[in-house]
Amino acid sequence: MRILVVEDDSVLSAQIGEALGNAGYAVERSVDGEKALRLGETESFDAIILDLGLPTIDGLTILKRWRETGVSAPVIILTVRNRWNERVEGIDAGADDYLVKPFHMAELTARVRALIRRSAGVLGPQIEIGDIRIDLRNQAVFRSGQLVSLTAHEYKVISYLAHHADQVVSKEELSQHIYAQPRALDSNTIEVFIGRLRRKFAPNMIETIRGLGYRIRKASRE
């Protein structure tokens, strides 16, 4: 899952990036309002963390522009402002959640997980597909109750596919959402991750849809 962090305090931005990175997310950071506006409009993110007090363009204006142009990624607002009417203004502008500074990183990470779950239609902290159980909080995957050892990128691939179960996900989309920075697609790399996951789980759990991408079904196939 790829997260955009828009925060002009470089120390706090780095701390948020580290916390989310440790939680298994690919993180892109921006300290500038104009750059953040462009990133949100031109690239794909699973969630956005947006500070209101930004240079060049304030966060509320950015959020309104995103929603007007169809950017649908869930947004958590960060701010030192704690007046109820300002929170209402942020929610009405299109924010999905609101967190007042200072805050605990564990709470921010939990809110990000919850937003991503809800946007994918996942109701709880775990995703179950057949005998596979994905513990989203602890970044752990189990098969028939046994922990399966995965690399960081293998986990990101299976987690993204599971969040989009029954949908066909292209190699390009997978690449965009498991790496923090945009990069030229190396289709062989994605194929390697898929191959490893098939060896560790049921071979047909991840389907190849020729010419389109990959799919995990909610009802697993043996």
Side-chain angles (χ1 to χ4, degrees):
M1 299 292 176
R2 188 166 178 238
I3 313 296
L4 174 61
V5 176
V6 187
E7 167 60 62
D8 67 326
D9 182 325
S10 59
V11 174
L12 179 57
S13 177
Q15 291 172 341
I16 294 172
E18 180 180 10
L20 293 176
N22 290 338
Y25 298 107
V27 182
E28 171 91 0
R29 295 191 289 141
S30 174
V31 298
D32 177 81
E34 289 184 357
K35 178 184 176 183
L37 177 63
R38 184 174 65 255
L39 282 171
E41 290 178 336
T42 60
E43 298 188 20
S44 179
F45 296 95
D46 297 290
I48 300 173
I49 298 169
L50 177 65
D51 182 34
L52 289 185
L54 296 169
T56 66
I57 307 176
D58 68 274
L60 197 60
T61 298
I62 291 172
L63 178 57
K64 290 177 180 177
R65 291 271 296 276
W66 280 342
R67 294 316 191 209
E68 288 169 358
T69 57
V71 176
S72 60
V75 173
I76 300 176
I77 283 180
L78 299 183
T79 182
V80 295
R81 308 169 191 172
N82 195 26
R83 296 175 58 183
W84 70 267
N85 58 315
E86 292 174 328
R87 294 198 298 273
V88 169
E89 186 179 17
I91 298 298
D92 283 345
D96 300 271
D97 202 352
Y98 201 107
L99 194 56
V100 176
K101 301 175 183 177
F103 53 85
H104 293 286
M105 289 298 170
E107 181 181 2
L108 175 61
T109 303
R111 288 172 182 260
V112 169
R113 281 197 303 269
L115 279 186
I116 292 175
R117 287 201 315 264
R118 287 200 295 270
S119 66
V122 177
L123 301 181
Q126 300 182 354
I127 299 176
E128 295 190 9
I129 299 173
D131 63 351
I132 307 301
R133 175 169 59 87
I134 302 175
D135 182 338
L136 302 174
R137 179 175 182 179
N138 296 303
Q139 305 166 61
V141 182
F142 301 83
R143 183 180 186 191
S144 300
Q146 299 297 311
L147 179 65
V148 180
S149 178
L150 299 178
T151 67
H153 281 106
E154 288 169 0
Y155 173 80
K156 289 176 182 178
V157 169
I158 194 171
S159 175
Y160 191 82
L161 289 173
H163 274 88
H164 298 81
D166 289 336
Q167 300 176 32
V168 178
V169 178
S170 69
K171 291 180 183 178
E172 291 83 356
E173 183 176 344
L174 272 175
S175 181
Q176 289 172 359
H177 288 265
I178 67 174
Y179 295 113
Q181 300 291 336
R183 55 184 287 170
L185 175 67
D186 181 353
S187 61
N188 291 333
T189 301
I190 299 298
E191 290 171 4
V192 167
F193 293 148
I194 295 294
R196 289 176 182 172
L197 290 170
R198 284 171 171 160
R199 287 192 291 273
K200 294 180 179 182
F201 300 99
N204 293 329
M205 184 186 73
I206 300 175
E207 299 177 81
T208 296
I209 311 301
R210 190 171 297 279
L212 297 176
Y214 302 100
R215 176 173 60 197
I216 284 181
R217 292 188 182 275
K218 292 179 182 177
S220 67
R221 298 168 57 196
E222 295 296 337

